[in-house]
Amino acid sequence: MRFNDLVSGAMLIAAAVLVIILTLRFPEFPGQNYGPAVFPRLLAVLLILCGVLMMVRGYAAWRAGEPLADMPAWARDPANVVSALLVLGSALAYILVLDAIGFVPLTIVVLLVLFLWFRVRMPVAVVTALVAAFGVNWFFASLMRVPLPRGLMDWIL
């Protein structure tokens, strides 16, 4: 869905105001004139200014006849909608079941499903999924010293 800048600017302003509200609870550093809330608030103010500029431009476009929201052509094709939902579902799977299943098995399954949906040949999909899952796990666990969830593979990794 494509939104007019009037709508996008309003959402940007709302998000920036939320940032400012959330930073009200940040602690102050004793003996300093500024604390950890200064930088997020500064960015939020700049985002509010950008949101206002977007809304001005979007209002002009809306007055000229542009709709506030429009469905793009790609979203009318069911295969494209399924593709988008698969990518979003993959992110949701990582959020919901990563700790239980583990990074390596979940990554292999997610990559295989996505590769096969996007018509990658089976041998290439399998090899790439395996190399990517184990490679990223090795990079984080060995080089970065950030262990990823092992889940079902706790006895191997």
Side-chain angles (χ1 to χ4, degrees):
M1 172 140 324
R2 184 197 178 289
F3 292 102
N4 179 305
D5 281 348
L6 185 62
V7 176
S8 300
M11 290 190 294
L12 187 61
I13 291 172
V17 168
L18 180 63
V19 167
I20 292 172
I21 291 169
L22 292 174
T23 60
L24 293 176
R25 295 187 184 184
F26 283 14
E28 296 296 326
F29 286 145
Q32 289 189 347
N33 295 333
Y34 56 89
V38 171
F39 187 65
R41 287 181 190 164
L42 176 64
L43 289 177
V45 168
L46 293 173
L47 288 175
I48 288 172
L49 291 174
C50 290
V52 169
L53 291 174
M54 288 176 68
M55 289 184 71
V56 168
R57 191 172 94 178
Y59 179 74
W62 178 68
R63 295 277 296 179
E66 181 180 308
L68 291 178
D70 188 26
M71 188 70 71
W74 70 265
R76 293 184 188 103
D77 182 6
N80 291 335
V81 173
V82 171
S83 297
L85 291 175
L86 277 174
V87 172
L88 291 174
S90 299
L92 188 61
Y94 275 99
I95 292 168
L96 296 177
V97 298
L98 180 64
D99 288 332
I101 295 178
F103 177 79
V104 172
L106 183 60
T107 299
I108 291 170
V109 170
V110 164
L111 287 178
L112 278 175
V113 168
L114 291 174
F115 285 154
L116 295 176
W117 174 255
F118 290 114
R119 296 179 189 94
V120 175
R121 292 176 316 186
M122 179 66 85
V124 174
V126 170
V127 169
T128 305
L130 289 170
V131 169
F134 282 104
V136 169
N137 187 66
W138 171 82
F139 175 78
F140 276 95
S142 299
L143 297 178
M144 301 296 290
R145 303 276 186 218
V146 178
L148 297 173
R150 294 178 179 174
L152 301 173
M153 298 190 70
D154 192 33
W155 57 279
I156 294 175
L157 300 173

